[in-house]
Amino acid sequence: GGPAHHRGRPGESEAAEEELPGDRWSIKSVNPRTKKWTVNTGGGEEEFDVASVKKGLRERLEVDTRTDEEQERARLEWLMYYILSDDWDGAASMAVGEDEWEFIMEAMR
């Protein structure tokens, strides 16, 4: 293989180094008991709990003009797509309900 094998498209690496404010955020730890996520925001640490995160997501989804059924179908398709591509951040952003979160946590192991 050699190093050439790992190179992306030309210009890809330069773009990746451009730092956006959100890029410094990362999940530091998850407490499964309290369902609190400690997030490193770059300027310190912030604690999020699953309920409020999901509430925020739901509110964002609700401004959509599609019917509930269309929305739910699209959400599930994205959820499956993210899980199949091992994109756990994406999957978590589409998950609603206890069982979906547990499914993702299981799949991540």
Side-chain angles (χ1 to χ4, degrees):
H5 178 71
H6 288 293
R7 266 214 315 271
R9 291 187 301 278
E12 210 174 37
S13 55
E14 290 91 331
E17 278 163 33
E18 202 181 306
E19 219 184 342
L20 299 163
D23 287 350
R24 288 190 300 270
W25 287 48
S26 59
I27 294 171
K28 196 165 171 276
S29 63
V30 179
N31 182 332
R33 201 171 44 79
T34 60
K35 296 208 167 62
K36 291 230 190 291
W37 297 52
T38 306
V39 175
N40 196 333
T41 62
E45 281 173 20
E46 219 175 300
E47 216 176 38
F48 291 83
D49 69 291
V50 171
S52 67
V53 170
K54 287 197 283 199
K55 184 174 171 286
L57 283 166
R58 221 173 270 121
E59 282 164 5
R60 280 212 298 280
L61 286 168
E62 274 165 14
V63 282
D64 212 316
T65 53
R66 291 174 297 177
T67 66
D68 286 356
E69 201 178 316
E70 287 170 322
Q71 265 189 61
E72 188 59 6
R73 186 192 175 88
R75 187 186 69 73
L76 278 171
E77 283 172 353
W78 275 108
L79 179 62
M80 289 187 283
Y81 168 79
Y82 284 133
I83 289 168
L84 291 168
S85 18
D86 285 351
D87 180 344
W88 304 113
D89 287 350
S93 74
M94 286 293 147
V96 284
E98 232 37 60
D99 44 1
E100 286 182 6
W101 277 87
E102 268 160 35
F103 182 84
I104 290 168
M105 294 302 181
E106 279 299 312
M108 277 169 81
R109 288 197 190 120

